[in-house]
Amino acid sequence: MNTTSYIDRVEIRAAGIPALAGITAYDYQPPFRGSPYLCACSDDYYGHDEIEWEILDRRGRPAPWLERKLSKADREEITRELLERAAIARRAEREWGDL
């Protein structure tokens, strides 16, 4: 039984196969507008976004067989796509606020 809780599940293609990315963690730190001396590290000053995800089949179940098919380039492309979607969602939230 899968006990992982996902923030979201996003339709993707993994190695050309329709699948889902189960997002397990997402962290966004906007660039700091004050003095860099007030930040704990350069990542806090310059800002960053990070995402962790797992590959799932189309029914939402973990798919280790599909995970093994992914190349490093496939993983990077999926991560890039997920971060882009997160940025779009942040912009939309900023523009529209809570509805």
Side-chain angles (χ1 to χ4, degrees), residues 26 28 49 83 85-95:
Y26 176 68
Y28 172 69
D49 56 348
L83 287 172
R85 288 181 183 202
I88 291 167
R90 278 196 321 274
R91 282 194 296 272
E93 184 176 323
R94 197 170 47 241
E95 289 176 14

Side-chain angles (χ1 to χ4, degrees), residues 54-84:
E54 296 176 355
I55 198 78
L56 309 172
D57 65 17
R58 289 189 292 179
R59 292 184 178 177
R61 297 176 299 207
W65 61 272
L66 186 51
E67 177 74 32
R68 289 188 295 271
K69 289 182 174 280
L70 296 179
S71 67
K72 183 178 179 184
D74 290 333
R75 290 180 219 291
E76 289 172 354
E77 178 61 29
I78 292 168
T79 298
R80 190 172 22 258
E81 179 183 338
L82 295 173
L83 287 172
E84 185 177 306

Side-chain angles (χ1 to χ4, degrees), residues 31-61:
F32 188 67
R33 297 186 188 267
S35 169
Y37 298 107
L38 298 175
C39 294
C41 67
S42 62
D43 283 345
D44 288 347
Y45 181 70
Y46 293 109
H48 67 275
D49 56 348
E50 298 175 14
I51 196 162
E52 294 178 15
W53 53 274
E54 296 176 355
I55 198 78
L56 309 172
D57 65 17
R58 289 189 292 179
R59 292 184 178 177
R61 297 176 299 207

